[in-house]
Amino acid sequence: MTIQDASIQAAFSGLLSDVRPGQIQSWGLLDVAALFSTEGRPDYSSFVSPLQHLKLVRVPTYGTLILENEAKSGRVIAPMHIGFFQVGAQNHATSRVLLLEAGQTLTATDCFCIQASQGGLLQEAQQRFIILPLSLRKTALAKRGEVGYARLWDDIDTHNRRHGIARGGHLERFLRPNFHRLMIFRHAFEVLPKQVGAAYFVAGNLVGVEVTPNAAYWADVGPILNIYCYGAAALLGGRHQLQPERQQVDLEGLADMNDLARRLEDARRQESMERINLVEALSNLTWNNPRTKPGLHVVDLEQGEWVGQMVKDGANMLYLSLFRDVLV
Amino acid sequence: MLSSSPKFAPYNAMKKHLLVEYLDCRRLPLTQHEGAVELHDALCEAAPQFYLHLLADQATDISHKHKVLVNLLTHVSTHDIERQRIEGILRTIPMVEALQLLTIIRDQRINRSRARELVLTFLIGHEQFPELAAIKRQRLGYLLKHVLGERTWSAVKRALANTTPEGEIFLQREVLHYAWNGDSARAREVLCFLAGVPFNPVHTALAKSLAARQDLQSGEGLPAETLHGLRGTFHRKTPLRKIRQLSASVPTTVRPDGPMAAFYKDALTNAINQPQVTTPEAESMDGPLAGLRKAVALLFKSDSIEAEKEHSIHLDISTMLSGATASLPLIDGSVAVVLDLSASMGAMGERLNHPAALALALTRLLQKRVRKVSLHQAGGTAQLAEDNLPVPQGVADIAQAIIEAARTDAQAILVITDGYENVRQGDAAQVVRGIQQLGHTIPVYQVVPQFTAAENLGQRMLGENIPVIPLAHEDGIQELLARILLTSEGENISSAGMATLEQLLTVR
C-alpha cells in the first residue's frame, strides 16, 4: 500500500460525503486525485456508459440534438457539455446534464454549435466525443435552457485567442493543433480499479470535481475529461506561466537510504494532504443540497466562483460535475 | 595480427568510458553530441576491427555511420582492414541504406583508391544494381562520376554510346569487370541508363523507369520519391494525388515483434478480450500458443471476485525463453530491474499492449541471461513470476521502486517504463539525485519500450540525470547486457569482455 492510500482513506464530509479520496497522480501542471465510492453509496451499476450507449440520432435544426439511449436496460446520464463531431457538418455540444431512460429518445433544444465556419447538419456523430474545455463550461452552463445555436461562439473565440489561436467560434481550431499535447493527459493518468471520479488541480489550485455513477462509467468518461476539459485547462495554465506546486524532496543532509525513502513519503504526504484539504473545504461550503427529495433529480450548484450540476438519487449523489475557471 | 604498436592497438586498449559514451550518443545525430568526432577517432584507434562492425549497427544514427565509413577509408589505424571486409559488412544492410552511407564519399570529396574500389565493387558488383539505379538514378550517377573522375566518366559515356574495340577494352578495364556474376551486358545496360545513353532496356526495373518518363502511369509500383522526381522533370501538370495512387506501398517502419514480445502481446490481448474459443484449432489446445489458450480460458472461467482481483495469466514460457536466449552470452553481473506495469503500459490502438509486452520480454530475457537480477515491479494486477503474467493496471510508483532497487547490491538499475511517471512527476529524478548524494555510483537507466524509433520521448524522460535507452525490439536486450557487462569491467576493458561486447553489439 502506498503512503497516499494509507493517509487519505477517510470520506469527505458535506457535499462529497458519498466519495473518499485515493491516489493522487500528477503530470505537468495537472494533478488528479482519484475518488472512490464510500461503503454507504449504492452500486449504481444500472447506469450504463454514455460512450457505449448514447447515440446522436440527428440534428433537426442548428442548436437541437436528438439523443437516444440505445441500451435495452440501464439508464444513461449524458455528461454535461458533451460534444459530438462529424466531418462536413456543424459540430454540437450540450449545455447541461441529461438523463435518458433505457431506449428513450430525448430532444435537447438548448445545445450549442461549436464550429462557426462549418455548415451542415450532423447525421451520425463519431463515437469519439469530447467534453468542452474547462474555460468554456461556466458560460455554457449559464446559457442552458436558452435557444440560439450561436450563443457560445464569442466565448469559443475568446477561448481560442487565450490559447493563441486565430479568432473565431470554431473549437476545432483549438483542438486540431493541440491534440498531440492534449493526448498526453490521456496516457499520463491511469484509471484505477473501482475509481468513480476525480478532483482536478491546475498548478495546485482545485478547479474541478467530477463524480460518475460507477467505475465502468468513469473508465470511459474519465480519460475524455482528462484530455479535452482539464487537459485544456492545464495547457492554458502553461500559457499563463503557472508553475507546478510541488513539495520538493528535501535532500539536504541526507543520512541513508531509509532517510531518503522517509523524506519522499513526507513530501508526498504533505502535498496530498494539501490537495485533499482543498477538496474537503469545497465540500463543506454551503450548497443547495436537498437531502430529502426522493427519486432521480438534477440539482444546480453555485457557490462563489464554483458552478456545476449534480444528479441525485434520493439522498445519494449519482453524478456530479463541479468546476471553476482555471484563471480566477 | 595484434601488434604492440599503438597504431594497431589490441582490444584491451579499449576504454570503458568510450564505449559507454558511444552507446549514449549513437542514436543522436553526430552534431548533437559534443566531442563525437574525437570519440569516433578514439574508438577507431582503440579497436578498429570492432569499429568496422559499427557500420551495420541498427540503433545508430546515419551520421555516426557516415563517420565510421569515413574513418574506415581514411584513418591510419584502419589500414589493416581489407576493403573486402568493409564491403562484406555493407552487404549485410539493405542496399538503399548502403547507398545512403556511400554517398558520404562524394559529399566529403574522398578521392583515394580504397574508396573508389569500394564503391565500384559494391555497386556494380551488387545483384540489385539495376533495381537501385531505377529508383536512385541521380544519386548513383553522381557517386559513380565522383569515384571515376569526370574525365573517366565522360570517356565511359562515349564508349557506351559508340562501340569500338578500344572503347570495349576501356569499359572492361574501368567498370564492366566489376559486374555481378560477370554479367557485363547487364552492367552495361545500367551504366547506359545512368549515363543517359540510349539503349534498349531488358531489365524490367529500368524499362519501367524509362517508360515512366513518357507516361507516368507506366511507373506504377515505383517508390513515391522516384515518382515525385519524374513528375518534377517530365510531368509537371500531373496532380500529386496521382503519385499517391501509383507509388508502391511504403513498407512498414515497424519491425515485427520478437518471439517473446509477440507471445506476451498475444497473451495480454487475449486476457483483455476474453476470447471465445470457437475454432477447432483453438479448441484443440495444441500448438505453440496452447499454454496461453489454456491459461486464458482458465482465467475467465472463474467467476469469483477474488479471481477478478488477481487477473493474471499462468503460462509456461521456459522453452521459448531458452530459444530466445540461446545465442546470448551469460553475463556474470547483477542488475536491478524496475518494471512499470501501470495501466498506460497497456497503451491503446495499434500499440495496444506493445509497451507492456516488450517490457515483460526484456525483463524475462534479463532474468535468464544475467547471473543475478532483482525485480521491483510497480503496478500490474499481480507479481511477475516464472509462470505468472500480470496485466497492466493502476499507477506505478517508480521513485519508491528505484529506492528499493538501490538497496540491493546491483551494478546497475534499469527502469523499464513508458516514462509516464504520474505518482508525482519528477520524484524519480529527485530520488536518483539523493542516491548519488549518498555516495552510490550505481548507474540508473530509463529503458523505454517504443513502438517505433520515431517516437518523441521529449516529455517522457524521468530526468536529466537518468539516461534514456529507447528500445523498439526485444533484440535491444543485447545493448542492455552490454551495459551491464560494462559496469563490471574496469576502465581498460579485458579481452574476454571486449569479445563478449563485440558479440553483443555487432551481431545483426
Side-chain angles (χ1 to χ4, degrees):
Chain A
M1 178 181 285
T2 65
I3 294 305
Q4 285 84 348
D5 290 337
S7 62
I8 49 178
Q9 284 188 77
F12 294 110
S13 54
L15 181 72
L16 301 172
S17 59
D18 276 356
V19 291
R20 61 177 177 80
Q23 179 83 50
I24 294 184
Q25 300 175 54
S26 65
W27 186 263
L29 283 177
L30 190 62
D31 294 352
V32 180
L35 297 177
F36 298 91
S37 292
T38 55
E39 284 187 7
R41 187 179 189 238
D43 169 25
Y44 289 112
S45 55
S46 64
F47 286 82
V48 295
S49 162
L51 204 63
Q52 311 295 328
H53 299 285
L54 183 66
K55 181 191 173 190
L56 174 68
V57 179
R58 66 192 166 91
V59 176
T61 177
Y62 291 128
T64 298
L65 295 180
I66 300 179
L67 301 167
E68 181 189 350
N69 175 6
E70 287 190 312
K72 291 194 174 89
S73 64
R75 287 179 282 194
V76 159
I77 297 176
M80 197 193 299
H81 305 144
I82 184 173
F84 297 90
F85 276 76
Q86 185 185 340
V87 176
Q90 172 70 250
N91 299 327
H92 276 66
T94 60
S95 61
R96 58 194 162 93
V97 68
L98 300 168
L99 302 174
L100 289 90
E101 297 292 332
Q104 184 189 347
T105 299
L106 183 146
T107 302
T109 57
D110 58 350
C111 300
F112 307 107
C113 293
I114 53 173
Q115 198 182 9
S117 60
Q118 169 70 56
L121 297 175
L122 285 169
Q123 298 297 321
E124 182 186 349
Q126 290 172 9
Q127 278 306 299
R128 176 179 67 83
F129 55 66
I130 68 158
I131 305 280
L132 288 180
L134 181 62
S135 57
L136 286 173
R137 296 188 69 192
K138 194 169 182 178
T139 319
L141 183 63
K143 292 181 177 176
R144 68 188 180 280
E146 299 172 11
V147 178
Y149 61 88
R151 63 196 196 284
L152 204 60
W153 286 358
D154 286 345
D155 304 285
I156 295 174
D157 176 273
T158 306
H159 167 269
N160 285 358
R161 278 190 285 124
R162 286 163 93 184
H163 282 275
I165 312 282
R167 57 189 308 148
H170 196 82
L171 191 58
E172 201 150 305
R173 284 189 188 150
F174 159 72
L175 294 175
R176 198 178 291 272
N178 285 297
F179 190 67
H180 66 288
R181 294 187 191 96
L182 294 170
M183 278 305 286
I184 295 281
F185 298 104
R186 163 71 181 82
H187 301 300
F189 294 102
E190 321 284 13
V191 174
L192 304 180
K194 297 185 178 177
Q195 183 179 354
V196 296
Y200 290 89
F201 306 83
V202 173
N205 299 308
L206 180 63
V207 293
V209 179
E210 306 282 340
V211 179
T212 60
N214 53 57
Y217 188 116
W218 179 258
D220 277 352
V221 172
I224 295 167
L225 282 161
N226 292 349
I227 299 169
Y228 298 106
C229 177
Y230 294 101
L235 290 190
L236 189 61
R239 282 191 65 82
H240 284 77
Q241 313 299 324
L242 298 185
Q243 297 297 319
E245 282 281 317
R246 288 272 174 277
Q247 188 72 39
Q248 295 293 316
V249 181
D250 179 13
L251 299 176
E252 189 69 34
L254 203 57
D256 54 22
M257 211 65 84
N258 289 335
D259 191 21
L260 177 60
R262 195 165 41 246
R263 292 185 190 205
L264 176 67
E265 287 176 10
D266 288 346
R268 288 176 169 182
R269 183 183 291 115
Q270 190 173 334
E271 191 173 302
S272 293
M273 292 316 297
E274 284 172 8
R275 302 282 186 273
I276 298 310
N277 287 341
L278 290 175
V279 184
E280 178 75 20
L282 175 73
S283 182
N284 284 310
L285 293 175
T286 305
W287 296 101
N288 168 30
N289 185 17
R291 293 221 154 255
T292 52
K293 191 172 176 181
L296 214 60
H297 55 279
V298 177
V299 179
D300 293 331
L301 300 170
E302 187 166 356
Q303 175 59 255
E305 66 221 19
W306 289 92
V307 294
Q309 281 189 316
M310 171 169 62
V311 179
K312 294 198 77 176
D313 176 27
N316 288 111
M317 179 206 296
L318 247 176
Y319 170 91
L320 171 81
S321 185
L322 185 61
F323 45 82
R324 64 171 177 171
D325 272 346
V326 66
L327 301 172
V328 290
Chain B
M1 188 186 78
L2 298 179
S3 158
S4 58
S5 155
K7 200 170 25 170
F8 303 115
Y11 276 169
N12 59 15
M14 176 63 93
K15 303 291 184 192
K16 181 166 85 172
H17 79 271
L18 294 177
L19 263 185
V20 172
E21 188 180 349
Y22 171 71
L23 289 174
D24 286 345
C25 77
R26 65 178 171 160
R27 291 183 176 85
L28 297 170
L30 200 70
T31 50
Q32 285 185 23
H33 183 78
E34 197 177 340
V37 173
E38 292 76 15
L39 171 68
H40 272 272
D41 290 346
L43 281 168
C44 181
E45 282 171 14
Q49 303 293 334
F50 168 77
Y51 190 68
L52 165 67
H53 289 279
L54 301 184
L55 211 50
D57 185 355
Q58 287 183 343
T60 297
D61 186 79
I62 184 79
S63 57
H64 286 274
K65 293 187 194 178
H66 278 150
K67 182 63 188 167
V68 173
L69 182 60
V70 169
N71 275 348
L72 288 170
L73 293 172
T74 62
H75 201 282
V76 68
S77 61
T78 61
H79 283 184
D80 268 8
I81 297 176
E82 293 167 347
R83 175 184 45 78
Q84 288 83 349
R85 292 201 57 210
I86 305 174
E87 194 188 328
I89 297 287
L90 284 176
R91 285 193 188 281
T92 65
I93 59 182
M95 197 182 181
V96 174
E97 189 186 328
L99 176 63
Q100 208 179 346
L101 273 177
L102 290 169
T103 306
I104 194 69
I105 292 172
R106 175 176 179 267
D107 293 346
Q108 295 206 356
R109 299 281 183 264
I110 298 172
N111 275 323
R112 52 190 67 201
S113 61
R114 188 173 164 87
R116 178 182 187 275
E117 285 298 303
L118 178 67
V119 170
L120 295 175
T121 51
F122 177 76
L123 291 179
I124 302 179
H126 202 289
E127 186 183 0
Q128 295 169 18
F129 186 39
E131 286 84 357
L132 187 68
I135 60 171
K136 299 285 178 193
R137 178 175 179 264
Q138 194 171 47
R139 189 180 292 194
L140 212 47
Y142 285 158
L143 185 56
L144 288 178
K145 185 177 174 181
H146 168 74
V147 295
L148 287 168
E150 284 207 28
R151 291 175 64 179
T152 307
W153 180 243
S154 297
V156 165
K157 286 201 305 195
R158 281 196 303 275
L160 287 169
N162 307 302
T163 310
T164 62
E166 296 78 14
E168 281 307 304
I169 294 169
F170 172 77
L171 282 176
Q172 199 63 36
R173 188 183 68 228
E174 294 296 330
V175 285
L176 294 181
H177 78 275
Y178 297 107
W180 176 71
N181 272 358
D183 191 347
S184 299
R186 185 171 172 272
R188 177 192 292 270
E189 193 178 327
V190 181
L191 289 167
C192 284
F193 175 77
L194 294 174
V197 174
F199 71 108
N200 289 323
V202 175
H203 198 281
T204 50
L206 298 177
K208 179 181 278 193
S209 185
L210 279 178
R213 282 156 173 74
Q214 309 303 320
D215 175 13
L216 199 58
Q217 185 75 35
S218 305
E220 185 169 4
L222 290 171
E225 195 184 12
T226 307
L227 290 171
H228 273 296
L230 291 171
R231 174 185 172 271
T233 309
F234 302 102
H235 311 282
R236 284 181 180 275
K237 290 181 179 171
T238 304
L240 280 171
R241 67 171 181 279
K242 187 80 177 169
I243 304 291
R244 287 194 291 275
Q245 291 164 3
L246 294 176
S247 59
S249 59
V250 180
T252 177
T253 53
V254 181
R255 285 176 67 196
D257 293 320
M260 294 284 293
F263 182 80
Y264 279 128
K265 193 183 282 188
D266 213 354
L268 293 170
T269 306
N270 277 290
I272 292 167
N273 293 339
Q274 304 189 21
Q276 301 293 317
V277 181
T278 50
T279 64
E281 186 193 358
E283 283 174 342
S284 73
M285 293 292 179
D286 290 330
L289 293 179
L292 165 65
R293 291 193 184 102
K294 285 173 189 166
V296 171
L298 278 175
L299 174 63
F300 293 103
K301 271 183 182 169
S302 171
D303 293 322
S304 75
I305 295 171
E306 284 308 309
E308 277 201 20
K309 274 185 192 168
E310 292 295 321
H311 267 194
S312 61
I313 304 165
H314 305 273
L315 58 160
D316 180 10
I317 58 159
S318 53
T319 310
M320 184 178 293
L321 192 56
S322 298
T325 56
S327 62
L328 295 173
L330 183 66
I331 304 298
D332 187 20
S334 67
V335 66
V337 175
V338 172
L339 176 61
D340 174 2
L341 281 181
S342 61
S344 63
M345 288 289 280
M348 56 195 282
E350 63 178 352
R351 297 163 190 230
L352 185 67
N353 289 318
H354 180 84
L358 186 49
L360 287 162
L362 291 170
T363 303
R364 296 310 306 271
L365 291 168
L366 284 167
Q367 287 176 322
K368 187 79 176 172
R369 254 24 220 152
V370 180
R371 182 178 53 80
K372 189 176 177 188
V373 177
S374 64
L375 180 60
H376 307 270
Q377 185 183 319
T381 51
Q383 195 65 28
L384 176 66
E386 277 290 318
D387 59 349
N388 199 30
L389 175 65
V391 175
Q393 181 181 283
V395 297
D397 189 346
I398 293 171
Q400 282 281 8
I402 290 176
I403 293 177
E404 293 310 312
R407 291 182 199 271
T408 66
D409 60 350
Q411 295 163 317
I413 297 174
L414 302 178
V415 185
I416 307 179
T417 175
D418 55 8
Y420 290 112
E421 185 196 14
N422 48 26
V423 182
R424 294 223 322 167
Q425 189 184 16
D427 275 357
Q430 281 220 300
V431 158
V432 169
R433 204 167 293 122
I435 291 169
Q436 288 163 348
Q437 202 171 303
L438 287 170
H440 296 261
T441 54
I442 182 169
V444 182
Y445 295 104
Q446 179 189 354
V447 180
V448 183
Q450 289 180 301
F451 189 65
T452 71
E455 274 178 55
N456 179 8
L457 304 180
Q459 293 191 66
R460 292 197 268 147
M461 294 166 68
L462 294 177
E464 287 180 356
N465 53 350
I466 306 176
V468 176
I469 306 173
L471 298 179
H473 195 271
E474 70 188 49
D475 62 12
I477 185 68
Q478 292 169 301
E479 177 176 350
L480 300 184
L481 294 176
R483 287 187 183 267
I484 295 164
L485 177 60
L486 281 168
T487 62
S488 55
E489 287 285 335
E491 181 54 21
N492 289 327
I493 301 173
S494 65
S495 298
M498 199 59 213
T500 310
L501 284 168
E502 185 172 326
Q503 183 188 351
L504 286 169
L505 294 174
T506 62
V507 175
R508 285 172 75 94

